[in-house]
């Protein structure tokens, strides 16, 4: 059964409090050279997404094929595509090899009488998410995540169409805001039900980010925001993020690429946002490149935690020399136990 040590729990709690327990929070993982083959996958794409037994066995195999150090832990991501809540309130979806596409047909055809957002518990997506979550909890081999429900405006974009929604912000701003206000409690109620179930069953929860919490949390996001100005972000998106972070116990924002950097000032103004996770985006320097150090200093100076995923082991020490351990979370993949011990030693030498 999945267990997290008391020391690891204290480090995660300190991270969420923008503090450090002895040192910062470090998630280290290593793939083992297992001779056991992974479970045979269904031949068709739909089966690889929908076969609950196969997906459970595959996650269990992954957990058994990995080793974790420091605050690392095995995690099962209940993944049915980014923004799967759209498919639980009337949207369509299409399976692909590595993702799920949701913008496949307009649900909102106009703003005169858009169908009110309501959770459909009979929908295939709702039933799949519920079934996989329960199956993974029953297995108990890893910490089960909340699904990637999607940002509110990303969900609306899936239901309306991204290009149409961009124009709607100019032509029908009040109608868009009114729809978002109706969607917010649907998102909230599903999230709280889902997160509460995870915490009750396993004493904590995680998400697609490998961060543990004994209280409700979610990686807030708005990929749609890369296409709008900071003024429009302030008018439309910021109130929604304030609403979400207001009822969650903890939250971290997924800042996805240079297109979202103009919104950083507004994000840092959110009083209940705990941390920001930076993703540099395809074709840009990795998150551990020194070119992003000023960005990280700005985040920490504003009193927000900093989440860096996929840091290369050889670059960890330079990050530790440059930034406060308080409110810092770093994940690394390591090649062997010796490398893991060396990274932990380096982290311990730069304690809080």
């Amino acid at each position: 059964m999945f267990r997290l040590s008391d020391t690891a729990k204290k480090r995660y709690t300190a991270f969420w409090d923008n503090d450090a327990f002895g040192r910062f929070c470090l998630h280290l993982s290593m793939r083992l050279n297992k001779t056991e083959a992974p479970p045979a996958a269904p031949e068709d794409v739909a089966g690889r997404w929908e076969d609950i037994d196969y997906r459970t066995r595959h996650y269990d195999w992954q957990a058994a094929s990995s080793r974790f150090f420091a605050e690392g832990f095995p995690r099962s991501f209940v993944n049915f595509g980014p923004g799967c809540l759209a498919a639980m309130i009337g949207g369509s979806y299409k399976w692909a090899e590595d993702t799920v596409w949701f913008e496949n047909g307009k649900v909102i055809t106009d703003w005169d009488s858009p169908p009110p957002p309501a959770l459909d518990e009979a929908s295939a997506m709702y039933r799949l998410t519920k079934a996989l979550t329960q199956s993974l909890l029953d297995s108990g081999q890893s910490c089960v995540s909340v699904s990637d429900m999607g940002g509110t405006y990303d969900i609306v974009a899936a239901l309306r169409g991204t290009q149409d929604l961009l124009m709607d912000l100019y032509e029908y701003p009040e109608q868009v805001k009114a729809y978002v206000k109706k969607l917010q409690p649907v998102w909230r109620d599903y999230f709280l039900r889902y997160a509460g179930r995870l915490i009750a069953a396993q004493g904590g929860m995680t998400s697609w980010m490998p961060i543990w919490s004994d209280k409700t949390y979610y990686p807030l996001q708005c990929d749609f925001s890369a296409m709008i100005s900071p003024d429009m972000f302030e008018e439309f998106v910021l109130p929604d993020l304030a609403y979400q972070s207001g009822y969650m116990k903890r939250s971290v924002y997924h800042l996805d690429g240079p297109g979202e950097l103009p919104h950083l000032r507004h994000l840092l103004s959110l009083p209940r946002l705990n941390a920001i996770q930076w993703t540099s985006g395809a074709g840009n320097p990795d998150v551990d490149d020194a070119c992003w150090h000023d960005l990280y200093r700005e985040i920490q100076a504003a009193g927000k935690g900093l989440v860096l995923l996929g840091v290369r082991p050889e670059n960890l020490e330079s990050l530790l020399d440059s930034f406060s351990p308080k409110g810092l979370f770093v994940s690394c993949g390591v090649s062997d136990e010796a490398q893991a011990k060396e990274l932990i030693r380096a982290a311990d030498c730069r304690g809080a």
Side-chain angles (χ1 to χ4, degrees), residues 61-62 132 162 239 327 346:
W61 173 82
Q62 286 184 327
L132 181 58
T162 298

Short mmCIF file of all heavy atoms in Angstrom, two decimals, residues 61-62 132 162 239 327 346:
data_model
loop_
_atom_site.label_atom_id
_atom_site.label_comp_id
_atom_site.label_asym_id
_atom_site.label_seq_id
_atom_site.Cartn_x
_atom_site.Cartn_y
_atom_site.Cartn_z
N TRP A 61 2.43 -1.53 -12.77
CA TRP A 61 3.73 -1.94 -13.34
C TRP A 61 4.71 -0.78 -13.30
O TRP A 61 5.89 -0.96 -12.96
CB TRP A 61 3.53 -2.43 -14.77
CG TRP A 61 4.81 -2.72 -15.48
CD1 TRP A 61 5.57 -3.87 -15.41
CD2 TRP A 61 5.52 -1.84 -16.37
NE1 TRP A 61 6.69 -3.76 -16.19
CE2 TRP A 61 6.69 -2.52 -16.80
CE3 TRP A 61 5.27 -0.57 -16.85
CZ2 TRP A 61 7.61 -1.95 -17.68
CZ3 TRP A 61 6.18 0.02 -17.72
CH2 TRP A 61 7.33 -0.67 -18.13
N GLN A 62 4.25 0.42 -13.63
CA GLN A 62 5.12 1.58 -13.58
C GLN A 62 5.62 1.84 -12.16
O GLN A 62 6.81 2.15 -11.96
CB GLN A 62 4.38 2.82 -14.10
CG GLN A 62 4.20 2.87 -15.61
CD GLN A 62 3.55 4.15 -16.08
OE1 GLN A 62 2.71 4.72 -15.38
NE2 GLN A 62 3.93 4.61 -17.24
N LEU A 132 -11.83 4.50 -13.10
CA LEU A 132 -10.38 4.39 -13.00
C LEU A 132 -9.90 4.85 -11.63
O LEU A 132 -9.01 4.24 -11.04
CB LEU A 132 -9.70 5.20 -14.11
CG LEU A 132 -8.17 5.13 -14.12
CD1 LEU A 132 -7.69 3.68 -14.24
CD2 LEU A 132 -7.59 5.98 -15.25
N THR A 162 -12.18 27.87 -29.93
CA THR A 162 -11.23 28.88 -29.47
C THR A 162 -11.34 30.18 -30.24
O THR A 162 -11.40 31.27 -29.65
CB THR A 162 -9.80 28.33 -29.57
OG1 THR A 162 -9.67 27.18 -28.71
CG2 THR A 162 -8.78 29.38 -29.14
N PRO A 239 -10.60 37.11 -12.21
CA PRO A 239 -11.69 36.85 -11.23
C PRO A 239 -12.02 35.37 -11.09
O PRO A 239 -12.36 34.92 -9.99
CB PRO A 239 -12.88 37.64 -11.82
CG PRO A 239 -12.26 38.69 -12.68
CD PRO A 239 -11.03 38.05 -13.27
N GLY A 327 9.52 27.45 0.06
CA GLY A 327 8.50 27.40 -0.98
C GLY A 327 9.00 26.85 -2.29
O GLY A 327 8.39 27.09 -3.34
N ALA A 346 23.54 17.48 -1.53
CA ALA A 346 23.64 18.88 -1.95
C ALA A 346 22.48 19.71 -1.43
O ALA A 346 22.65 20.86 -1.02
CB ALA A 346 23.72 18.95 -3.47
#
